[in-house]
């Protein structure tokens, strides 16, 4: 794969994340990915995003009016013609913190590679904070979703459960090595009671730390958890990595 064919893809919609999340994500990728790449953000608002980032509209999901979107928007990355992009895309959530090399995310074998869900590893479900695919290779995932949305929404809790199931049935699903994409919540916080005197840490061989649920990078840096009686000390390493 030539370096020109490598695309880093992210999405930003609504008001939850400001442009600084995209700008910092770009800077972290630049520090941790060798050679050339294109950085693409699918967004409803490109204001304040740095010029190295190519901003394009999020393709329409075609949901019935009034339906809460949640994460289903990510399925639009499987549009047959995604703004004319060609090559291999590594999708990253905008709130991840990159702590190690991304080079092998483009060379690791597999047709569709995703994080194996942390909480229920006996299931096939992936966590869609980091996934890799060939652009335009899976349009059926989105087409089927658009035509059967009502039943899919009853059957699957979110887009990653649907996506994992469909690609697993097609024999195309595989997972990143377990150590590459740890969860801040599950893998970086010391066990009780040592969390009261030891700060959160970066696990060995971690490359992309995933923030989901009760903490995002600014919370972790400030030592805040959005649940009662759950204490963490400030994760100062976030400041070292999560910056422009």
């Amino acid at each position: 794969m030539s370096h020109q064919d490598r695309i880093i893809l992210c999405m930003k919609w609504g008001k939850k994340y400001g442009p600084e999340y995209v700008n910092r994500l770009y800077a972290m990728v630049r520090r941790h990915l060798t050679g050339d790449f294109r950085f693409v953000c699918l967004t409803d608002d490109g204001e304040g995003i740095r010029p190295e980032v190519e901003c394009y509209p999020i393709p329409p999901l075609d949901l019935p009016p009034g339906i809460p979107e949640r994460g289903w928007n990510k399925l639009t990355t499987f549009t047959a013609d995604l703004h004319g992009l060609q090559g291999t895309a590594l999708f990253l959530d905008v709130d991840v913190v990159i702590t190690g090399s991304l080079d092998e995310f483009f060379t690791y074998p597999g047709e569709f590679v995703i994080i194996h869900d942390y909480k229920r590893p006996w299931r096939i479900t992936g966590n869609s904070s980091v996934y890799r695919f060939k652009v335009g290779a899976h349009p059926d995932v989105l087409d089927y979703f658009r035509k059967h949305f009502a039943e899919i929404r009853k059957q699957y809790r979110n887009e990653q459960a649907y996506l994992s199931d469909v690609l697993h049935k097609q024999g195309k699903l595989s997972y990143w090595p377990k150590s590459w994409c740890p969860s801040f919540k599950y893998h970086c916080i010391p066990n009780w009671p040592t969390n009261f005197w030891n700060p959160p840490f970066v696990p060995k061989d971690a490359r992309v730390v995933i923030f989901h649920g009760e903490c995002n990078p600014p919370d972790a840096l400030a030592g805040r958890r959005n649940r009662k009686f759950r204490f963490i000390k400030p994760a100062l390493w976030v400041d070292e990595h999560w910056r422009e």
Side-chain angles (χ1 to χ4, degrees):
M1 184 193 312
S2 82
H3 287 175
Q4 282 73 28
D5 294 332
R6 300 185 307 173
I7 298 161
I8 299 289
L9 192 58
C10 71
M11 291 183 98
K12 180 180 88 69
W13 68 87
K15 300 291 180 212
K16 186 175 180 185
Y17 300 108
E20 72 279 4
Y21 276 82
V22 178
N23 295 341
R24 289 175 186 195
L25 183 63
Y26 173 85
M28 290 187 289
V29 170
R30 182 63 285 170
R31 289 193 289 272
H32 290 289
L33 183 56
T34 312
D36 297 329
F37 58 88
R38 292 175 72 179
F39 193 105
V40 173
C41 180
L42 302 176
T43 184
D44 57 3
D45 181 8
E47 183 85 24
I49 292 177
R50 56 195 290 170
E52 300 95 330
V53 176
E54 300 175 48
C55 290
Y56 296 108
I58 299 168
L61 199 51
D62 302 340
L63 292 190
I67 298 290
E69 177 285 320
R70 297 207 174 87
W72 297 108
N73 255 341
K74 284 190 189 176
L75 296 179
T76 63
T77 60
F78 301 106
T79 302
D81 180 3
L82 187 61
H83 298 293
L85 296 169
Q86 291 184 319
T88 298
L90 179 67
F91 182 93
L92 299 171
D93 272 353
V94 291
D95 61 347
V96 301
V97 173
I98 300 171
T99 59
S101 173
L102 297 177
D103 292 358
E104 286 182 274
F105 282 90
F106 283 98
T107 57
Y108 192 76
E111 191 165 342
F112 182 88
V113 197
I114 195 167
I115 301 171
H116 201 169
D117 189 49
Y118 309 105
K119 210 169 177 186
R120 301 176 182 86
W122 60 89
R123 293 186 181 172
I124 58 124
T125 302
N127 176 302
S128 63
S129 295
V130 183
Y131 60 90
R132 191 197 72 209
F133 64 104
K134 191 168 185 297
V135 178
H138 310 288
D140 53 302
V141 170
L142 180 58
D143 293 343
Y144 188 85
F145 173 79
R146 283 174 170 152
K147 289 174 186 143
H148 303 88
F149 173 72
E151 61 197 74
I152 287 169
R153 196 159 164 250
K154 281 183 194 152
Q155 192 179 345
Y156 300 102
R157 191 166 152 257
N158 50 33
E159 105 291 336
Q160 59 195 23
Y162 164 68
L163 179 62
S164 306
D165 197 40
V166 171
L167 290 167
H168 173 71
K169 284 172 178 162
Q170 294 177 6
K172 296 172 182 171
L173 184 75
S174 53
Y175 306 109
W176 302 117
K178 201 173 173 183
S179 61
W180 285 11
C181 304
S183 153
F184 180 80
K185 179 175 160 183
Y186 295 125
H187 305 123
C188 301
I189 298 172
N191 290 334
W192 186 89
T194 65
N195 59 306
F196 283 93
W197 57 86
N198 289 331
F201 59 93
V202 180
K204 189 175 181 295
D205 203 28
R207 300 174 185 213
V208 184
V209 178
I210 309 307
F211 286 80
H212 51 100
E214 61 196 75
C215 259
N216 60 24
D219 292 327
L221 183 56
R224 273 193 307 265
R225 289 180 83 175
N226 299 316
R227 290 182 71 184
K228 283 183 179 173
F229 315 119
R230 299 286 180 91
F231 177 84
I232 54 167
K233 289 177 77 67
L236 299 180
W237 50 265
V238 171
D239 210 22
E240 179 193 334
H241 297 286
W242 194 63
R243 60 180 171 82
E244 283 203 47

